[in-house]
Amino acid sequence: MTPFVEPENSRSGPCRRAAAATEAGFTVAEVLVAAFLLAVALVALLASMTTAVTTVDAGRRSTTALFLAEQRMEDVRAFALSKAAGQGWANLSTASFPAEGYGAIASHPDYRRTVTVTDTPGGVADTKLVEVRVFYRQVTDAGTGPESSVVVTTTLANR
């Protein structure tokens, strides 16, 4: 005697009901675990994006400070080569370029800069050591951070 086999297209019977019960979907525990893992991943992603934005801003500020230092160095060179009254090699000194405080540099209120000119550095005649330093504050999660600086130095020689 052969056992009873329910036809495939049958919608009722013990086999079909047992299969339907095992294919019902996810359990509450599985959904909670998946939601927890997704939440942890999103928090980690947001934390890394905050770090990335802070790092990009620090790079931007440093690049701007370098630009401002190079800009002032070009002003010093032009001053040294100028034939205008009160300018020229003989008048090139630290006093010729007074320190600029925060808010004094047009379009860059978050920066300040200083120029230092040293005559005959190392005892070498007809030379001047010029140092331009630009200061700025980094932005952190807690607000404004410590002051950082960029320094551009060159030696000028009288021709």
Side-chain angles (χ1 to χ4, degrees):
M1 178 163 184
T2 61
F4 172 75
V5 177
E6 194 170 328
E8 288 185 34
N9 61 356
S10 173
R11 297 189 189 265
S12 65
C15 294
R16 188 63 165 166
R17 274 183 253 132
T22 60
E23 297 175 12
F26 298 107
T27 65
V28 172
E30 291 172 330
V31 171
L32 288 176
V33 168
F36 175 75
L37 291 175
L38 186 59
V40 168
L42 286 175
V43 168
L45 179 64
L46 290 176
S48 67
M49 288 190 59
T50 301
T51 302
V53 167
T54 302
T55 303
V56 167
D57 184 63
R60 182 188 61 78
R61 288 178 180 274
S62 176
T63 301
T64 301
L66 181 61
F67 165 75
L68 292 171
E70 290 174 346
Q71 181 184 51
R72 180 53 98 198
M73 187 63 77
E74 288 302 316
D75 293 342
V76 170
R77 288 182 184 129
F79 183 95
L81 294 173
S82 177
K83 303 290 185 197
Q87 294 187 8
W89 180 261
N91 295 321
L92 179 60
S93 67
T94 300
S96 304
F97 295 91
E100 299 167 288
Y102 286 108
I105 303 172
S107 301
H108 300 286
D110 297 334
Y111 298 85
R112 68 180 184 93
R113 63 185 166 194
T114 62
V115 176
T116 305
V117 179
T118 306
D119 290 330
T120 61
V124 179
D126 291 329
T127 61
K128 295 187 184 213
L129 178 67
V130 180
E131 176 184 277
V132 177
R133 187 176 295 260
V134 177
F135 300 89
Y136 60 99
R137 296 194 186 279
Q138 295 288 355
V139 176
T140 64
D141 295 339
T144 303
E147 190 173 59
S148 299
S149 66
V150 170
V151 180
V152 175
T153 305
T154 191
T155 302
L156 300 177
N158 190 16
R159 300 190 225 177

